[in-house]
Amino acid sequence: MTAKALRPPGDLLFVKAGAKVAAACAGLEDPDEVVAALLGPASVHAVDIERVSAGPWPVPDPAGVALLARTPTDLRRLVSLRGALPSAVRVMVAILETPSWFDTPQVVMSRGVGQRVLRECRVHRLGASGWLITTRFSKEQPAGDVAAAITRGMTGFHLNAHPLPAVALGDPALADWWPGDPDASCGGAPEKSGVPSAELGLRLPDAEWPDRRVPVLARPPWEHATWTAIGAPGGYERLARLDPGQVPPVDERSVNPRGFLRTPAKGIGDIVLAGGRWTARLDGRDLVAFPESGLVTDTDVDRLRRLRALRLSWRPAHTGPIAAARVVAGLAAAGVPLIAPSPPRPGPRRRWARTCCRCWPARTPTSPTICGARS
């Protein structure tokens, strides 16, 4: 998307020139271009979701907070970091790309906030399929609450209507393991009264948890299984210990079997390596470039619906084994047909292929393996 397509409406002034704005980005290829297009005259401190800190925000008392996400799936990752995002009187949420089935965003806020402190809420088109939501309140409100209100409008029901455990993330890098939950917290320190702050904790493999009463699961971020990390000292042992439990789950409230076409207009595409990342390609044209993390978004799925299938080889030409398995699992969960030959013989360098098959094993009576969504 070009900077011209990202330009907000001419009558929209989010903050005054030079005002401090804290921005959190998720899934953006070029955050600087997006920030310049949407928040040009402001003094912006932008942080990627992978680098968000659970401590105080680097910009104290910002005049506005901007949450910039490439797709609705990326916005749901920011929702899980609600407690780590700052508060402000003005909050902007930008979604650069949405799938064809995505309707006008609805800001479903609680009645107390909507009736008492909300002063302005504007929804604008952004480019061909993006949306820009700006809000203004009479007093500071958590930016994460606005993001949660928008994602609540996407799913059509309240998360608290379902019995979910109260989860705490030991590090913001673990947002991929529990996306879309506005009740998730960052850090596991108990309340001042001594009451545990969570019912389940997710921590990094080598990190400690501050409250021993809380059951804790150790989960690695995707960066631990890139080829760069595997090539570092001790990386080969990490590769030999790979298993499906190290693949982040698919956010099935965002990536799921929908948007099918009765008759796909295109043929069979291929998953190839381009620019160091897996890319879905058809007749020499790149349709989707999957991120280094392997995250599959709803917008990516929408672009692939015109294909009859995607062809996959088991060669280890990808960002890393976890990222590759994550791409396969995400596409299969969305119902994108994947055609592949039989997996290679076991071995540490081929372990990622077996991990993919254990995540979503499905086989036809004939020789090729076909991965697809299964209930």
Side-chain angles (χ1 to χ4, degrees):
M1 186 178 292
T2 63
K4 183 178 181 180
L6 287 173
R7 192 167 300 158
D11 62 339
L12 177 64
L13 179 63
F14 181 57
V15 294
K16 296 180 180 179
K20 296 187 297 183
V21 175
C25 308
L28 302 184
E29 294 286 340
D30 190 350
D32 294 338
E33 179 183 8
V34 177
V35 168
L38 297 179
L39 302 164
S43 176
V44 184
H45 180 86
V47 179
D48 188 79
I49 185 175
E50 309 288 349
R51 303 292 178 262
V52 171
S53 172
W57 198 262
V59 179
D61 301 323
V65 177
L67 306 180
L68 312 177
R70 185 176 73 88
T71 67
T73 303
D74 294 304
L75 180 62
R76 287 175 56 82
R77 296 163 62 207
L78 280 171
V79 170
S80 295
L81 302 181
R82 182 177 67 96
L85 299 175
S87 300
V89 173
R90 296 178 181 270
V91 178
M92 169 191 289
V93 176
I95 309 174
L96 305 190
E97 304 172 18
T98 60
S100 58
W101 56 80
F102 190 85
D103 205 350
T104 306
Q106 304 293 325
V107 186
V108 187
M109 309 195 75
S110 63
R111 292 190 62 186
V113 174
Q115 290 182 345
R116 297 187 179 93
V117 299
L118 181 64
R119 293 295 176 264
E120 182 181 288
C121 181
R122 304 177 69 178
V123 179
H124 303 270
R125 274 287 191 182
L126 194 62
S129 65
W131 292 94
L132 180 68
I133 304 99
T134 59
T135 57
R136 180 173 62 86
F137 301 92
S138 60
K139 60 181 181 180
E140 289 188 352
Q141 294 296 311
D145 287 357
V146 179
I150 296 173
T151 57
R152 186 179 298 128
M154 297 177 193
T155 55
F157 54 82
H158 290 263
L159 282 173
N160 56 14
H162 298 265
L164 296 175
V167 173
L169 305 177
D171 191 280
L174 298 173
D176 286 359
W177 286 93
W178 199 261
D181 185 0
D183 294 326
S185 59
C186 290
E191 303 287 345
K192 293 182 179 179
S193 61
V195 177
S197 59
E199 298 171 324
L200 176 66
L202 297 178
R203 62 171 176 84
L204 296 176
D206 300 328
E208 297 292 334
W209 195 259
D211 192 345
R212 295 188 177 183
R213 297 170 296 175
V214 177
V216 179
L217 296 176
R219 290 294 183 266
W222 63 269
E223 293 97 328
H224 284 194
T226 61
W227 290 127
T228 302
I230 291 172
Y236 189 81
E237 290 76 9
R238 185 182 301 169
L239 176 64
R241 294 193 300 268
L242 285 180
D243 64 77
Q246 299 180 32
V247 181
V250 178
D251 183 6
E252 294 189 67
R253 285 182 177 166
S254 178
V255 178
N256 49 55
R258 65 182 301 182
F260 291 101
L261 302 179
R262 184 181 297 273
T263 304
K266 305 296 182 180
I268 297 177
D270 292 281
I271 295 181
V272 300
L273 183 69
R277 301 185 303 176
W278 264 8
T279 301
R281 178 176 294 174
L282 176 68
D283 299 332
R285 179 189 174 193
D286 293 345
L287 302 179
V288 173
F290 299 105
E292 294 182 8
S293 64
L295 174 70
V296 176
T297 69
D298 45 5
T299 303
D300 300 333
V301 173
D302 187 37
R303 291 177 177 173
L304 298 175
R305 286 297 183 218
R306 291 172 292 176
L307 302 182
R308 303 193 70 87
L310 276 175
R311 186 182 295 110
L312 170 70
S313 68
W314 298 113
R315 296 191 304 272
H318 46 75
T319 308
I322 293 297
R326 196 177 182 189
V327 169
V328 174
L331 294 176
V336 177
L338 299 175
I339 302 175
S342 298
R345 299 182 63 181
R349 287 184 58 81
R350 305 291 186 180
R351 188 176 294 269
W352 78 271
R354 291 184 289 146
T355 299
C356 291
C357 293
R358 290 173 63 187
C359 286
W360 247 276
R363 183 180 294 274
T364 62
T366 56
S367 56
T369 298
I370 299 181
C371 301
R374 307 198 322 168
S375 59

